[in-house]
Amino acid sequence: MGLPPTLKRQVGNPIRIMTMDCGRSLMFINKGKYRMKPRKSITLLLVVFVSLLLTYAFFTNLVAAKTLAEPEAAPQAPTAVFPVIADFEGGVPAGWFVYGDWGNITIDTTIPTISDTDSLALPGQVGLNDVLSMTTSVPTWAGFGAAISPLLQDWSNYDAVSFWFYGENSGTTHEFEIQTVPNDDRRATFIDNFVGWRQIILPFSTFGAGGAYNVTQVDNWVFVLDGTIGSFKMDDLQLVNLQPFADFEGGVPAGWFVYGDWGNITIDTTIPTISDTDSLALPGQVGFNDVLSMTTSVPTWAGFGAALSPAHDWSDMQGVSFWFYGENSGTTHEFEIQTVPGDDRRATFVDNFVGWRHIVLPFATFGTTPYDVSQVDNWVFVLDGTIGSFKMDNVGVYGDAGNITLKTQFASGTYNVIEGESVTLTVSLNVTSSNAIMVDYATVPGTADSSQYVPVSGTLTFPAGELTQTLSVATLDNTILDGSRAFSVQLSNPISAELGALNTAVVTILDNETPNPNQTVVIDDFESGLPAGQDGNGLDIGYVTWGDTWNGTTVAITTTSTGAAGIDPVPAATTSTRRRGHRSRAR
């Protein structure tokens, strides 16, 4: 039932005040906002002045009378740092409320402190940690939550709500509600079908009927307890960004691979396009969406994944997440992260459900020690022992992308183009931005110069929310067999971002001419005189003579104009003779 509209938006309805262990109680005030009401304590302030200054004493007693009329301030838990909404350190958050069908329900709430050696410690916990613990018997309706402080928050820079939940495998379908100033209050659900801690992520697109959700004016969050009978724990309610690196739109991602015990296994892979009216549509999907679909028979070993080039730095994020369409096969699946230093680790989940579920694998669950994910070069979905079908979509990392340094770079460090054609280079951001990003680019000659491509320069602009932009360079066909040549394109002067490691891309122009065995190649036509110069070691090179000079042999070489400037005779096949003791050659 959640927070009833009559409780949320009106004043004067009877509501029972619930007192917490920490000495707080709740009251209902105008506009449906819940606020903390401290306990009143009356303190007798005796002011005795032995003085002839009666006026001073009179005003002093007025101040004392005002103090008696004000309630004593209750201790508040420190405010969590946004985007953490409630971490329960030191108590419940500001604006806390509990509501319900009092007289027909019981709700017991505590804030225990858990050590990192306790069996109830969060995965990866270090030191002490406070969590919310609840035991409830709610056959009708109830819930808890907090009014946002300050008056509202803009959550639109994030993609989802996340929290840790300690389940009891009760089978209860829990609801989390977001309430907004325009009264567009929506809920998303998850099922307590596990035991222990699990990080829950509820994308905004899954709230209500799905699709776009305006969360620019959030004023309350509510955890609905309708029908909840049992116990659970909760911690670290926060907002997160979802950053997919494999969304399967148009096919498999770059770097894709499939491996296995070929001959003993079968793997059938397709990328179907699903409409939003299809029973296979993702929760909250709008329009068409491509997903990965697999049917496998792997009694031994196999897997699939993608190489990440260049290596990704995930150290500012919290874990890996993806949508998975289960078949309730009971299979324990493994997801592996591979790193450049070779610290490859796996985390697991169980296919014990039917339909789409958002799988969340925090880095803290990969192994038992802190995981350095600053150089991730491959991700792998392990198929060992998998027999059956499943679907998958939007594989990515999650966390607070606001902690990530915004960088722009080329999507690839190398490009090839056939001579005479144009090459398109992609420049990307590592995360989306709410502001426009700009970066300059320019071609730089290498073994290829402006006679083989058209130099370009300019500025790329990434509108807010965009991840990629492209630029094109045209190459020129010179009809000469001169081999492959290369030039580069460099990025510079980024605005509102930094340059990434791949800020230079090398473009190789592939020669489109083929050797002609009947073609005569002119080595030198002497139109500029005799060749001369120096090699890389500073030695003279050019046309030289040597021979039996000690016997008086001399050689004189001259160039003579034919009288027809710019026209050379057609070379003909020739034979050469060598006289003993004398030869001339170009060295």
Side-chain angles (χ1 to χ4, degrees):
M1 179 174 178
L3 192 60
T6 53
L7 294 183
K8 181 186 175 191
R9 305 299 176 188
Q10 297 181 18
V11 179
N13 289 336
I15 181 169
R16 177 174 170 179
I17 305 234
M18 179 167 185
T19 303
M20 303 297 298
D21 292 346
C22 55
R24 299 183 182 84
S25 60
L26 304 171
M27 71 175 180
F28 193 72
I29 63 174
N30 287 339
K31 296 184 181 179
K33 302 298 186 290
Y34 287 89
R35 295 291 184 266
M36 303 306 301
K37 180 181 179 182
R39 294 173 299 173
K40 288 188 177 181
S41 64
I42 307 301
T43 306
L44 179 60
L45 182 61
L46 300 178
V47 180
V48 179
F49 289 101
V50 181
S51 172
L52 295 177
L53 302 176
L54 295 178
T55 304
Y56 176 80
F58 172 75
F59 284 108
T60 301
N61 280 282
L62 284 179
V63 173
K66 180 179 180 181
T67 302
L68 287 171
E70 292 179 344
E72 178 185 345
Q76 286 283 342
T79 301
V81 178
F82 190 81
V84 176
I85 307 302
D87 60 9
F88 302 101
E89 294 304 312
V92 295
W96 178 260
F97 57 78
V98 179
Y99 68 91
D101 183 17
W102 303 114
N104 298 311
I105 65 173
T106 59
I107 300 176
D108 179 33
T109 305
T110 59
I111 309 288
T113 298
I114 310 297
S115 74
D116 54 12
T117 59
D118 196 302
S119 60
L120 293 176
L122 279 169
Q125 177 182 324
V126 177
L128 302 178
N129 180 51
D130 292 351
V131 303
L132 172 68
S133 178
M134 278 197 165
T135 299
T136 69
S137 178
V138 183
T140 53
W141 55 273
F144 65 88
I148 297 300
S149 178
L151 295 179
L152 57 88
Q153 286 179 346
D154 182 354
W155 291 1
S156 60
N157 286 331
Y158 296 87
D159 303 306
V161 171
S162 169
F163 50 86
W164 284 93
F165 189 89
Y166 192 99
E168 299 284 347
N169 200 26
S170 66
T172 304
T173 298
H174 290 291
E175 295 180 293
F176 187 95
E177 182 174 300
I178 297 174
Q179 299 182 346
T180 67
V181 172
N183 293 345
D184 186 8
D185 306 339
R186 303 187 187 184
R187 297 180 183 180
T189 64
F190 70 97
I191 300 175
D192 176 3
N193 62 350
F194 53 91
V195 175
W197 286 111
R198 179 173 294 181
Q199 191 169 13
I200 306 296
I201 291 181
L202 303 174
F204 295 144
S205 61
T206 64
F207 279 74
Y213 187 16
N214 183 356
V215 288
T216 59
Q217 301 181 71
V218 177
D219 59 352
N220 292 280
W221 63 266
V222 182
F223 194 98
V224 182
L225 294 175
D226 300 7
T228 301
I229 298 176
S231 299
F232 63 85
K233 295 174 181 63
M234 184 177 176
D235 200 17
D236 290 344
L237 172 64
Q238 60 184 303
L239 306 178
V240 295
N241 294 104
L242 304 176
Q243 299 287 339
F245 48 78
D247 62 7
F248 303 103
E249 293 304 311
V252 296
W256 178 261
F257 57 78
V258 179
Y259 68 91
D261 183 17
W262 303 113
N264 298 311
I265 64 173
T266 59
I267 300 176
D268 180 32
T269 304
T270 59
I271 308 290
T273 298
I274 310 297
S275 75
D276 54 11
T277 59
D278 196 301
S279 60
L280 294 176
L282 277 171
Q285 177 182 322
V286 176
F288 292 95
N289 179 51
D290 291 352
V291 303
L292 173 69
S293 179
M294 278 198 164
T295 299
T296 68
S297 177
V298 183
T300 53
W301 55 272
F304 65 88
L308 303 175
S309 179
H312 287 198
D313 182 356
W314 292 348
S315 55
D316 285 320
M317 304 301 273
Q318 297 179 20
V320 172
S321 71
F322 49 88
W323 284 99
F324 189 89
Y325 193 100
E327 299 284 345
N328 199 27
S329 65
T331 304
T332 297
H333 291 289
E334 294 180 294
F335 188 97
E336 181 173 300
I337 296 173
Q338 298 180 350
T339 67
V340 173
D343 186 8
D344 306 337
R345 303 187 187 185
R346 297 180 180 182
T348 64
F349 71 97
V350 180
D351 178 1
N352 60 352
F353 53 92
V354 175
W356 286 111
R357 177 165 296 180
H358 199 224
I359 304 300
V360 181
L361 303 174
F363 295 140
T365 63
F366 286 77
T368 58
T369 57
Y371 195 10
D372 180 1
V373 288
S374 61
Q375 301 181 74
V376 178
D377 58 354
N378 292 280
W379 64 268
V380 182
F381 194 94
V382 181
L383 293 174
D384 300 8
T386 301
I387 298 175
S389 299
F390 63 85
K391 296 175 179 61
M392 191 174 183
D393 200 15
N394 291 337
V395 185
V397 290
Y398 68 89
D400 180 9
N403 288 331
I404 299 177
T405 300
L406 191 64
K407 295 182 180 180
T408 180
Q409 62 179 13
F410 287 104
S412 175
T414 58
Y415 293 84
N416 293 328
V417 58
I418 297 175
E419 183 181 77
E421 298 182 0
S422 294
V423 59
T424 298
L425 292 78
T426 300
V427 181
S428 63
L429 299 175
N430 56 336
V431 294
T432 57
S433 172
S434 57
N435 300 315
I437 306 298
M438 291 185 288
V439 64
D440 294 341
Y441 64 89
T443 51
V444 178
T447 54
D449 56 27
S450 58
S451 67
Q452 293 162 306
Y453 68 91
V454 179
V456 296
S457 62
T459 301
L460 293 176
T461 300
F462 297 80
E466 295 288 333
L467 277 175
T468 61
Q469 292 294 313
T470 60
L471 63 96
S472 295
V473 183
T475 64
L476 306 174
D477 191 346
N478 58 10
T479 70
I480 299 174
L481 179 64
D482 54 0
S484 297
R485 305 295 174 91
F487 65 95
S488 61
V489 183
Q490 293 183 353
L491 302 178
S492 62
N493 304 322
I495 297 177
S496 300
E498 296 181 6
L499 289 178
L502 288 180
N503 53 65
T504 298
V506 176
V507 179
T508 299
I509 304 175
L510 304 177
D511 200 348
N512 62 353
E513 277 76 35
T514 57
N516 183 351
N518 299 317
Q519 180 181 11
T520 300
V521 178
V522 177
I523 298 175
D524 202 322
D525 60 6
F526 302 106
E527 291 302 320
S528 300
L530 297 177
Q534 291 185 331
D535 63 16
N537 296 316
L539 300 177
D540 291 334
I541 59 175
Y543 210 98
V544 297
T545 64
W546 73 96
D548 188 15
T549 56
W550 51 88
N551 289 322
T553 300
T554 61
V555 178
I557 301 176
T558 61
T559 59
T560 303
S561 173
T562 63
I567 302 176
D568 287 315
V570 177
T574 60
T575 59
S576 62
T577 59
R578 179 193 302 173
R579 288 188 297 176
R580 184 179 180 182
H582 176 81
R583 59 182 174 175
S584 298
R585 70 175 182 178
R587 144 177 107 164

